[in-house]
Amino acid sequence: STSTKDVAKVLDDIGESPEAVAGALKSAYKQSAKQVAQTFKNMGKDATNIAKGLKSAFKQSTKDVAKTLDAVGIDSGEVGKALRYAYKQSAKNVAKTMKDIGKGGAAIGKALQKGFRYNGKSAANMMKQVGVSSDQIGKALQNTFKLSANDAAKTFKSIGKGAADIGKTLKNTYRQNAEKATRILNAIGVSMHDMSNVLKGVYRLNAENAAKTFKKIGKGANDIANVMKSSYKQSAKDMAKVLDKAGVGIDEVGGALKNVYGQSAEQAAGTLKDIGKSAKDVGKVLKSTFKVSTKDAGKYLKKSFDLGKNGLKDALKGAGYSSKDVNKALDKLWKSLKFW
């Protein structure tokens, strides 16, 4: 007997439309929509012509035709074209139809790319409109549109996605570590506060590792201290300890205590002593960051470290106060110290 493919080919060769051929296969050969689609595909017909046949002979809806085309192994990009040209569907409806039949971001992206010549940004925006998850949009940008991690992050930001979504995509889809992700977020203008929330919430970094990450990408002590305070809810002492461990210089730690936590010179001396800094180092901070006089520096160091006269003299000289000023200040102090 003559095969359905041969019959279809003969009808096609004499100029019958896809609609007529599909109708004949259905009525004369009792073929199902899927079988007709397979027959057309075996003949080398494109997805748009197959869809036209299915629409006419089987009254298939856009969702049904997309399912049928997918079931016979037709590429999502071609399905997108078929929905556009056989069913006159808009890009938005095509994206929705593909989502409704259970397709992921990469396939929906392909339907928009081939069906409508969409670039990554347009496709991402359209997918967002029809409720495709950020995770799936990320997969489309990586697999269909071949965007780099940096360009994907820019695209996400341009379609209004927040730092958390961008961070998740960088981590899960692009396999970026915390430092690389932070560099990318920083480059596209994400705020320190939002970046710290990504490090905390997406990468599960503790305060110390977050501080180290920020230092590696070149952030200053005040910026880091601000997020330690707001995102990580750190006390002045905890922040000072974290910055110190992250390799931030003591002068900058002192500056953060002053500028971010509003500590006075005397309070900062106590905080720095509490995290294990020497009297000499604390003296340097009092001199360079807080610009305190020799006499006041002596007073604060005496109070924090309970030093004798010689210990205090060494600490002040080591901190960079001149011998003359130190001797003068200590004489004055010691006269009043009898009453302490």
Side-chain angles (χ1 to χ4, degrees):
S1 69
T2 315
S3 75
T4 49
K5 183 182 168 187
D6 292 337
V7 169
K9 199 167 182 331
V10 168
L11 293 171
D12 186 52
D13 284 346
I14 61 167
E16 292 290 351
S17 69
E19 289 86 344
V21 178
L25 292 175
K26 181 189 175 189
S27 55
Y29 286 85
K30 306 294 180 235
Q31 281 209 325
S32 67
K34 188 179 173 184
Q35 286 170 324
V36 169
Q38 191 64 62
T39 302
F40 272 50
K41 188 185 175 212
N42 293 344
M43 284 167 60
K45 285 288 172 195
D46 67 27
T48 301
N49 279 310
I50 302 175
K52 281 177 180 170
L54 297 176
K55 183 184 180 187
S56 165
F58 295 89
K59 307 287 179 248
Q60 282 211 318
S61 67
T62 50
K63 195 173 165 182
D64 289 336
V65 85
K67 261 190 197 159
T68 304
L69 294 173
D70 184 56
V72 298
I74 287 170
D75 171 78
S76 295
E78 295 304 318
V79 177
K81 273 189 191 170
L83 292 173
R84 179 181 180 182
Y85 295 110
Y87 282 80
K88 308 294 179 227
Q89 279 214 308
S90 66
K92 189 172 185 176
N93 285 334
V94 170
K96 198 171 180 323
T97 301
M98 296 301 279
K99 180 178 177 258
D100 288 345
I101 68 161
K103 286 293 170 187
I108 301 171
K110 241 185 216 180
L112 292 170
Q113 184 187 48
K114 279 200 176 173
F116 296 86
R117 301 196 184 282
Y118 269 28
N119 63 15
K121 184 181 171 181
S122 308
N125 202 26
M126 189 56 76
M127 285 190 262
K128 181 191 170 193
Q129 282 181 41
V130 300
V132 175
S133 71
S134 294
D135 176 52
Q136 288 299 322
I137 295 174
K139 288 192 167 107
L141 294 177
Q142 184 186 44
N143 301 321
T144 304
F145 294 93
K146 311 294 182 209
L147 292 192
S148 66
N150 199 48
D151 286 339
K154 274 185 195 159
T155 301
F156 263 75
K157 188 168 182 248
S158 74
I159 66 165
K161 290 284 182 185
D165 279 332
I166 303 173
K168 280 177 198 161
T169 298
L170 291 173
K171 184 186 178 198
N172 303 328
T173 306
Y174 283 89
R175 302 279 179 247
Q176 300 287 300
N177 65 22
E179 187 190 331
K180 283 180 180 165
T182 310
R183 283 187 190 282
I184 289 170
L185 292 169
N186 188 49
I188 64 169
V190 173
S191 72
M192 278 292 288
H193 181 72
D194 286 345
M195 285 192 281
S196 71
N197 286 339
V198 168
L199 291 179
K200 189 180 179 186
V202 177
Y203 284 89
R204 302 276 181 254
L205 259 52
N206 64 16
E208 190 183 328
N209 287 325
K212 281 180 179 163
T213 303
F214 281 128
K215 185 170 185 289
K216 277 182 188 164
I217 71 157
K219 292 294 177 185
N222 285 346
D223 282 339
I224 302 172
N226 263 313
V227 297
M228 290 299 118
K229 189 180 180 186
S230 63
S231 294
Y232 282 90
K233 310 296 180 213
Q234 299 258 291
S235 67
K237 182 183 167 183
D238 288 339
M239 178 282 296
K241 203 184 286 180
V242 161
L243 262 62
D244 184 49
K245 278 187 177 170
V248 174
I250 188 166
D251 280 350
E252 288 182 87
V253 177
L257 288 171
K258 179 185 177 186
N259 301 323
V260 178
Y261 284 80
Q263 286 205 334
S264 66
E266 189 175 348
Q267 288 169 326
T271 302
L272 294 170
K273 190 233 174 206
D274 287 344
I275 68 160
K277 293 297 165 188
S278 69
K280 184 174 93 174
D281 283 340
V282 176
K284 282 179 182 167
V285 173
L286 292 174
K287 185 174 191 289
S288 64
T289 304
F290 287 89
K291 314 282 187 226
V292 304
S293 67
T294 315
K295 187 181 171 188
D296 283 344
K299 204 187 290 180
Y300 303 148
L301 291 176
K302 169 91 176 81
K303 191 176 174 187
S304 289
F305 290 87
D306 195 25
L307 297 169
K309 195 170 186 179
N310 289 336
L312 196 50
K313 190 183 279 189
D314 290 344
L316 288 168
K317 282 182 181 171
Y321 288 99
S322 74
S323 295
K324 187 182 162 194
D325 285 347
V326 170
N327 292 331
K328 198 168 143 191
L330 287 189
D331 284 343
K332 271 188 191 167
L333 269 181
W334 238 256
K335 278 173 192 157
S336 59
L337 284 177
K338 283 179 293 189
F339 306 104
W340 283 20

